[in-house]
Amino acid sequence: MFKPHVTVACIVHAEGQFLVVEETINGKALWNQPAGHLEADETLVEAAARELWEETGITAQPQHFIRLHQWIAPDNTPFLRFLFSIELTRMCATEPHDNDIDCCRWVSADAILNAPNLRSPLVAESIRCWQNGQRYPLAIIGEFNWPFTEGVK
């Protein structure tokens, strides 16, 4: 049975800049969107908000669904990556709570699209999707009869 990793990521935009998280992998500082794995007891939107807080210290809810990417990483790990967007009124300070994150940076789309230090090509592709205006309501990926939601019983 095929069992891809399910991950979530957030494009965070404010004042013409995008938020990236920087983490050191194999001695190299790499950029990514705030992102991580879906946990067993959470919805995709909850996972995106949790990862955002863990990696940046920002408390915000995804506002739109952008795209689902099915991807196979260079090490042959399969992924399903759910991409969300969050529009903030202003750039804000960050405080990562995840020890794997070195820092967060507000950078331009061009800086991301031309960066030699992206964690994966999905980081730039995500910006291109955002720039192309892809925005869908969160209800497009709604949970059904979710056991952790009040009133299901």
Side-chain angles (χ1 to χ4, degrees):
M1 176 183 273
F2 182 65
K3 295 183 180 181
H5 292 250
V6 176
T7 61
V8 295
C10 290
I11 296 223
V12 182
H13 179 256
E15 300 179 52
Q17 301 290 297
F18 294 88
L19 186 63
V20 294
V21 296
E22 186 173 288
E23 54 191 324
T24 302
I25 299 175
N26 297 325
K28 186 173 181 182
L30 301 177
W31 287 358
N32 197 5
Q33 277 97 22
H37 286 85
L38 174 69
E39 300 294 335
D41 63 346
E42 61 190 358
T43 66
L44 292 163
V45 171
E46 289 169 343
R50 175 187 50 77
E51 287 291 347
L52 177 69
W53 182 84
E54 287 178 2
E55 295 194 354
T56 71
I58 296 171
T59 301
Q61 292 295 312
Q63 296 155 338
H64 293 97
F65 175 66
I66 295 179
R67 183 150 188 181
L68 168 62
H69 287 103
Q70 185 173 355
W71 184 61
I72 297 177
D75 66 358
N76 289 322
T77 302
F79 286 92
L80 294 177
R81 186 179 192 251
F82 291 81
L83 179 63
F84 298 91
S85 68
I86 297 173
E87 186 74 33
L88 300 177
T89 56
R90 61 177 178 77
M91 290 185 286
C92 55
T94 58
E95 183 183 340
H97 299 279
D98 183 330
N99 292 334
D100 292 333
I101 304 301
D102 299 327
C103 65
C104 301
R105 300 180 187 278
W106 289 98
V107 298
S108 68
D110 285 342
I112 294 169
L113 294 172
N114 296 304
N117 62 326
L118 300 180
R119 177 145 183 205
S120 85
L122 280 177
V123 178
E125 179 61 18
S126 297
I127 294 297
R128 285 189 284 275
C129 291
W130 187 91
Q131 287 177 322
N132 289 335
Q134 292 179 340
R135 311 273 193 294
Y136 302 98
L138 295 178
I140 200 167
I141 54 161
E143 61 279 352
F144 173 74
N145 203 21
W146 188 243
F148 303 102
T149 304
E150 280 295 315
V152 168
K153 297 176 183 171

